[in-house]
Amino acid sequence: MENEFSPEESLRIIQSMIDKTKNNVANDAFYFLFWGWLILIICITQYVLLVWVKYPQHYYAWGLLWVGVIYLVFKTAIKNKKQKQKVKTYVDDSMKYLWTGLGITFFILGWICALNEWKNCFSLFIVLYGVGTFVSGCFLKFKPFIIGGIIAWVIALIAATANYQNQLLLTCLALIISYIIPGYMLRYNYKNQNN
């Protein structure tokens, strides 16, 4: 005997799964904030080394990225060991695949840009920030990420016409608008939902 759901029941089930995923991601808003702050600090450090200190190897600032990657690998492994998620939703899987794909794309793009003297590379990174946050916002039905993604795309267009130093600053702006502010809003919403 099959259980048939009415359209209203089906929508309620779908909405509850989206809400559960929102709570999962909101609980993990840490990742948006971590990457946003880490890349922001790296960009500011590189800008200071390039413009103020005039250090020829200003790009060494990106070595901090590997510290962040190693930290997150261990943190995620420990978290997964402690907590086995019982129910995975389509949105959970979609978010995982989206950010895994974007992470690989960031790495490959960084490699390509390093071989091509970084001309306009930051505008391409900003485009990817926009894609990640826009799609995440659509999956989660969370407007601050959608708006942040759209603004990141506009900033990418501006960055494409800017010099290298200003591309670094525009990257900082894109990170604040697309990762950091929405990340704090997501965490705030999560805390309010759970109180």
Side-chain angles (χ1 to χ4, degrees):
M1 181 175 182
E2 278 188 40
N3 265 344
E4 290 196 25
F5 296 107
S6 71
E8 293 81 18
E9 289 172 323
S10 297
L11 287 174
R12 267 197 306 275
I13 290 169
I14 291 168
Q15 187 60 50
S16 73
M17 292 176 84
I18 290 171
D19 291 342
K20 180 194 173 308
T21 301
K22 272 188 190 178
N23 281 340
N24 290 345
V25 173
N27 198 17
D28 291 333
F30 164 81
Y31 292 103
F32 287 103
L33 294 171
F34 180 84
W35 284 116
W37 279 109
L38 179 63
I39 304 300
L40 179 72
I41 290 167
I42 290 170
C43 287
I44 290 171
T45 303
Q46 184 179 10
Y47 182 84
V48 167
L49 291 173
L50 175 65
V51 175
W52 294 348
V53 178
K54 306 218 183 298
Y55 183 61
Q57 286 81 26
H58 51 85
Y59 49 84
Y60 282 177
W62 287 93
L64 290 172
L65 185 68
W66 294 109
V67 173
V69 168
I70 292 166
Y71 170 75
L72 280 183
V73 165
F74 284 112
K75 178 178 175 44
T76 303
I78 290 168
K79 181 182 172 192
N80 288 343
K81 205 175 213 183
K82 285 182 182 177
Q83 168 191 356
K84 292 289 181 194
Q85 188 176 355
K86 294 176 185 163
V87 179
K88 274 196 159 189
T89 66
Y90 174 76
V91 176
D92 289 329
D93 285 341
S94 298
M95 291 286 286
K96 180 178 79 174
Y97 297 138
L98 168 69
W99 286 102
T100 300
L102 281 173
I104 292 166
T105 303
F106 278 120
F107 178 78
I108 292 169
L109 183 59
W111 188 265
I112 292 168
C113 289
L115 296 174
N116 292 292
E117 299 182 12
W118 295 93
K119 182 158 176 55
N120 285 326
C121 283
F122 287 104
S123 56
L124 298 174
F125 286 127
I126 296 168
V127 167
L128 292 176
Y129 299 151
V131 169
T133 55
F134 179 84
V135 174
S136 294
C138 290
F139 283 153
L140 300 172
K141 300 188 183 325
F142 189 66
K143 285 185 183 177
F145 276 133
I146 295 170
I147 293 166
I150 293 168
I151 294 172
W153 290 332
V154 172
I155 293 170
L157 291 171
I158 296 165
T161 64
N163 65 22
Y164 186 81
Q165 294 92 322
N166 289 335
Q167 284 185 33
L168 283 168
L169 295 177
L170 288 166
T171 301
C172 292
L173 179 62
L175 288 163
I176 291 167
I177 291 172
S178 65
Y179 276 57
I180 295 173
I181 292 172
Y184 279 115
M185 292 173 80
L186 189 63
R187 186 161 72 178
Y188 176 80
N189 284 355
Y190 172 74
K191 286 182 179 178
N192 280 346
Q193 286 177 357
N194 288 333
N195 286 341

